[in-house]
């Protein structure tokens, strides 16, 4: 299973996502803010996939992923946005960054499928498919 970084400012939702992902066998680390997520990645290395909320105070999930995309070692980090924001411009911005966009409330099977899809796309991209 995958190493997953969950970035969510709401502690209840963060805990729920962590529990669901661990229940699927993933190894999960979490961060409560964008800057904390960047620190976790700097200290522990990149996860295999990152799950981000869009609307967070201080630094949005979109800003976190844009920052990561500027670093060559994280330019292709598989990412999933899990957000209550359903504005077309947010969805388009997430997809432009190469991320999968899911909305809250979420279904565990949809999140599991998105993780699998993101990981598969990452492997295929690395292999030059």
């Amino acid at each position: 299973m995958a190493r997953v970084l969950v970035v969510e400012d709401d502690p209840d939702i963060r805990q729920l996502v962590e529990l669901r992902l661990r229940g699927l066998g993933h190894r999960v680390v979490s961060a409560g803010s964008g800057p904390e997520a960047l620190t976790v990645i700097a200290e522990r290395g990149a996860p295999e996939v990152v799950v981000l909320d869009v609307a967070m105070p201080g630094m949005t999930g979109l800003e976190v992923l844009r920052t990561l995309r500027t670093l060559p070692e994280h330019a292709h980090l598989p990412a999933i946005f899990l957000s209550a924001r359903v504005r077309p411009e947010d969805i388009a911005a997430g997809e432009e960054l190469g991320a999968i966009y899911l909305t809250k409330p979420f279904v565990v099977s949809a999140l599991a499928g998105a993780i699998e899809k993101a990981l598969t796309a990452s492997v295929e991209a690395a292999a030059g498919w």
Side-chain angles (χ1 to χ4, degrees), residues 7 34 52-56 59-67 81 97:
V7 187
L52 302 131
D53 186 12
V54 170
M56 295 186 292
M59 183 179 213
T60 70
L62 293 166
E63 292 168 331
V64 171
L65 191 54
R66 279 190 197 106
T67 299
F81 284 108
L97 288 167

Side-chain angles (χ1 to χ4, degrees), residues 30-114:
S30 65
S33 69
E36 184 182 350
L38 296 175
T39 298
V40 167
I41 291 172
E43 292 175 353
R44 299 181 73 164
E48 291 174 87
V49 64
V50 62
V51 177
L52 302 131
D53 186 12
V54 170
M56 295 186 292
M59 183 179 213
T60 70
L62 293 166
E63 292 168 331
V64 171
L65 191 54
R66 279 190 197 106
T67 299
L68 291 171
R69 293 284 189 250
T70 66
L71 305 170
E73 65 272 24
H74 305 307
H76 301 290
L77 176 65
I80 299 164
F81 284 108
L82 184 60
S83 180
R85 294 182 73 160
V86 294
R87 298 184 332 186
E89 59 268 26
D90 291 327
I91 294 169
E95 291 173 349
E96 285 173 15
L97 288 167
I100 296 169
Y101 202 101
L102 300 176
T103 58
K104 297 174 190 170
F106 69 97
V107 177
V108 176
S109 61
L111 181 56

Side-chain angles (χ1 to χ4, degrees), residues 5-44:
L5 173 61
V6 175
V7 187
E8 168 64 60
D9 62 313
D10 183 306
D12 293 331
I13 295 173
R14 186 172 58 243
Q15 183 178 25
L16 176 64
V17 174
E18 288 176 24
L19 289 170
R20 298 294 188 202
L21 292 177
R22 284 190 180 113
L24 294 170
H26 296 292
R27 290 167 287 154
V28 181
V29 174
S30 65
S33 69
E36 184 182 350
L38 296 175
T39 298
V40 167
I41 291 172
E43 292 175 353
R44 299 181 73 164

